[in-house]
Amino acid sequence: AKKWINTHNYGNLYKVPRNQTKLTIMLENLGMSYDGRPHSGLDDSKNIARIAIRMLQDGCDLRVNERIHGGQLMTVSSSGPLEGAPAPQMPRYRN
């Protein structure tokens, strides 16, 4: 992965200080509990996805905001044109 969405938008969306953006605290503030085994890459990813879904439901416009270029971490302007894949959409659930 050379581009990604960093969930630091969480703090801006929910108006919480940076020290409130740890995974377990974010879940707790959203009324969710951690699913799985802490520090498991797969379980952490699933829980981050749950947070991202909630952020989308609450009106967040998730965009790629960080990337690696030439071995360096770079911030991507949120006002710039979207590159690559389209913006994430709300998941559709089957009844």
Side-chain angles (χ1 to χ4, degrees):
K2 293 188 179 193
K3 300 178 204 171
W4 59 89
I5 298 170
N6 187 316
T7 56
H8 71 255
N9 291 338
Y10 173 95
N12 297 334
L13 179 66
Y14 297 113
K15 309 290 189 257
V16 297
R18 193 149 179 90
N19 67 354
Q20 295 284 309
T21 59
K22 291 183 170 54
L23 180 56
T24 54
I25 294 172
M26 291 190 298
L27 287 164
E28 184 178 299
N29 288 343
L30 294 173
M32 301 177 190
S33 59
Y34 188 92
D35 286 345
R37 188 171 44 100
H39 307 296
S40 158
L42 180 59
D43 291 338
D44 284 352
S45 297
K46 288 178 181 179
N47 284 288
I48 292 167
R50 292 171 55 219
I51 291 169
I53 289 168
R54 178 65 174 275
M55 290 172 67
L56 287 168
Q57 290 170 337
D58 290 343
C60 186
D61 182 22
L62 293 178
R63 292 176 173 238
V64 170
N65 55 19
E66 289 184 345
R67 69 183 179 113
I68 293 287
H69 181 71
Q72 298 291 319
L73 175 65
M74 302 179 78
T75 300
V76 176
S77 170
S78 61
S79 61
L82 291 176
E83 300 176 26
Q89 302 295 312
M90 286 298 302
R92 293 192 176 96
Y93 296 101
R94 294 184 354 196
N95 291 337

